[in-house]
């Protein structure tokens, strides 16, 4: 299988029509030589473009792109980028010339911006060596990392990514074990550090003065104020009681209930309020990694 990037018109002027309306790939390089291209008379076509360009290298690059458009098979893969997503398709072999001299091939099925498992192919999640073709000054070109790209479209995990994910899963389990062994005061300190490193500013530590609230915090980014209750161990009934207390305070926008041990099933808490966040040991472990507190945790438990 060959893979080609195609730029759908100058400045992407055909992207919307090709992808959202017509399901086609469209090609410029307008000339009177459509039938010669269909017959494969490439020497005559090269002569035309050489006279047009007066540059052998440029004429050769033009011919390579034209031949790709006319000769790539229905099993070959086309990609393009539109609205910060990568789109891919296969195209019927038949090439049709439009009245304006541009040529099209109908897409087999439709353009897709999802992998074969349904996950979106967002530009930010694709290797830059693939997405760099967006800066290509021509119309059609090859793509680096073809094996990577095929796995990406098939929804397969890259081998090095899978290895790292397995290591990360093991790391999370080990961190959970370290968290579970923290003294309750040290657990509260860890939670305080997590919020601080996540951009929250502590308004005050209440603890003993307010039995319902351990931390009073404020986010300068979202302008939201939250209260945090930290428990080494809790249960469903206690979480519900703290939620009732949260509803009595008008000054708080969010509530965080943080714990590493739950006596009961978290799904049975039954709180659907989006302003209430339950952070169990799995989520705390993720936050320890994301906020760079692994060394702190190891040192504390050493």
């Amino acid at each position: 299988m060959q893979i080609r990037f195609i730029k759908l018109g100058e400045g992407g002027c055909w992207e919307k029509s090709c992808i959202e309306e017509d399901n086609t790939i469209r090609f410029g390089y307008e000339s009177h030589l459509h039938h010669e291209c269909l017959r494969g008379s490439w020497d005559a076509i090269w002569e035309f473009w050489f006279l047009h360009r007066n540059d052998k290298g440029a004429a050769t690059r033009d011919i390579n792109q034209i031949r790709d458009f006319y000769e790539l098979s229905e099993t070959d893969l086309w990609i393009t980028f539109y609205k910060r997503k990568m789109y891919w398709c296969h195209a019927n072999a038949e090439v049709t010339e439009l009245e304006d001299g541009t040529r099209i091939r109908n897409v087999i099925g439709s353009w897709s911006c999802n992998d074969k498992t349904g996950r979106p192919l967002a530009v930010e999640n694709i290797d830059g060596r693939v997405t760099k073709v967006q800066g290509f000054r021509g119309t059609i070109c090859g793509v680096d990392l073809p094996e990577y790209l095929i796995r990406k479209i098939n929804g397969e995990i890259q081998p090095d990514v899978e290895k790292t994910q397995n290591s990360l899963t093991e790391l999370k389990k080990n961190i959970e074990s370290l968290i579970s062994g923290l003294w309750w005061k040290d657990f509260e300190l860890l939670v305080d550090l997590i919020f601080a490193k996540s951009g929250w500013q502590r308004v005050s530590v209440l603890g003993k003065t307010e039995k319902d609230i351990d931390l009073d915090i404020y986010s300068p980014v979202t302008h939201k104020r939250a209260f945090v209750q930290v428990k080494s161990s809790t249960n469903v009934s206690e979480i519900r009681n703290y939620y009732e207390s949260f509803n009595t305070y008008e000054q708080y926008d969010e509530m965080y209930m943080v714990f590493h041990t739950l006596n009961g099933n978290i799904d049975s808490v039954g709180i659907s309020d989006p302003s209430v966040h339950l952070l169990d040991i799995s989520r705390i472990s993720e936050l320890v990694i994301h906020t760079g507190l692994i060394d702190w945790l190891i040192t504390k438990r050493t």
Side-chain angles (χ1 to χ4, degrees):
M1 179 193 297
Q2 299 190 65
I3 305 173
R4 294 291 186 273
F5 163 76
I6 183 167
K7 184 180 293 182
L8 296 172
E10 186 175 355
C13 62
W14 299 329
E15 290 172 344
K16 179 177 174 61
S17 60
C18 286
I19 293 172
E20 296 186 6
E21 300 167 7
D22 304 329
N23 277 307
T24 57
I25 57 174
R26 188 171 176 180
F27 187 66
Y29 281 90
E30 296 89 347
S31 71
H32 61 284
L33 300 173
H34 171 59
H35 294 289
E36 284 78 359
C37 292
L38 292 176
R39 290 195 298 266
S41 303
W42 299 113
D43 290 340
I45 299 165
W46 187 91
E47 290 290 342
F48 170 84
W49 284 104
F50 172 64
L51 291 172
H52 181 72
R53 296 286 196 185
N54 196 28
D55 182 316
K56 288 184 177 181
T60 299
R61 290 190 293 272
D62 292 339
I63 291 302
N64 289 339
Q65 295 177 70
I66 296 169
R67 289 192 70 166
D68 278 348
F69 189 83
Y70 276 84
E71 294 188 347
L72 258 60
S73 74
E74 295 184 352
T75 60
D76 292 322
L77 185 69
W78 297 90
I79 69 165
T80 196
F81 295 89
Y82 177 54
K83 292 184 176 180
R84 294 196 56 77
K85 293 180 181 179
M86 185 183 79
Y87 281 78
W88 62 274
C89 73
H90 299 282
N92 287 315
E94 181 182 1
V95 179
T96 303
E97 185 177 34
L98 302 180
E99 291 182 0
D100 62 0
T102 61
R103 274 69 44 89
I104 63 167
R105 289 175 60 173
N106 290 317
V107 168
I108 298 173
S110 62
W111 283 98
S112 176
C113 60
N114 296 323
D115 67 23
K116 291 184 179 179
T117 67
R119 290 175 297 190
L121 295 167
V123 168
E124 59 268 23
N125 296 327
I126 299 173
D127 193 296
R129 286 166 290 184
V130 173
T131 62
K132 70 178 183 180
V133 295
Q134 295 176 91
F136 178 58
R137 299 183 69 177
T139 302
I140 294 173
C141 68
V143 180
D144 289 344
L145 306 180
E147 293 180 357
Y148 160 87
L149 187 55
I150 293 298
R151 285 194 295 266
K152 191 76 175 177
I153 289 173
N154 286 337
E156 300 170 1
I157 298 177
Q158 308 296 331
D160 51 347
V161 172
E162 184 175 22
K163 182 179 179 180
T164 303
Q165 285 180 336
N166 292 337
S167 298
L168 184 59
T169 298
E170 187 64 27
L171 175 62
K172 277 191 59 184
K173 290 180 181 178
N174 292 334
I175 289 174
E176 288 178 12
S177 177
L178 291 176
I179 292 171
S180 297
L182 283 172
W183 180 46
W184 69 270
K185 272 288 190 182
D186 290 333
F187 180 59
E188 286 188 351
L189 177 56
L190 173 63
V191 173
D192 190 4
L193 290 170
I194 286 173
F195 279 104
K197 284 183 171 290
S198 299
W200 289 87
Q201 297 176 352
R202 190 198 314 164
V203 176
S204 62
V205 178
L206 301 176
K208 294 179 181 179
T209 60
E210 290 283 349
K211 64 183 179 66
D212 297 329
I213 306 171
D214 287 321
L215 291 173
D216 186 340
I217 56 178
Y218 171 77
S219 170
V221 176
T222 63
H223 300 293
K224 289 185 177 181
R225 189 175 174 185
F227 88 62
V228 182
Q229 181 63 41
V230 185
K231 289 287 185 181
S232 295
S233 178
T234 190
N235 56 59
V236 171
S237 177
E238 188 171 46
I239 293 173
R240 289 173 179 166
N241 289 338
Y242 281 122
Y243 176 56
E244 291 179 4
S245 297
F246 165 66
N247 286 325
T248 66
Y249 293 97
E250 295 182 356
Q251 65 268 47
Y252 295 110
D253 304 293
E254 294 182 327
M255 164 189 162
Y256 289 85
M257 183 76 188
V258 188
F259 52 89
H260 66 61
T261 301
L262 175 65
N263 299 314
N265 189 333
I266 195 169
D267 293 331
S268 65
V269 174
I271 298 175
S272 58
D273 188 339
S275 63
V276 176
H277 309 276
L278 307 181
L279 306 186
D280 61 7
I281 194 166
S282 175
R283 182 64 179 131
I284 299 167
S285 176
E286 291 175 355
L287 290 169
V288 165
I289 295 170
H290 294 161
T291 55
L293 287 168
I294 297 176
D295 286 343
W296 181 92
L297 181 60
I298 291 173
T299 301
K300 182 62 68 173
R301 287 298 315 275
T302 299

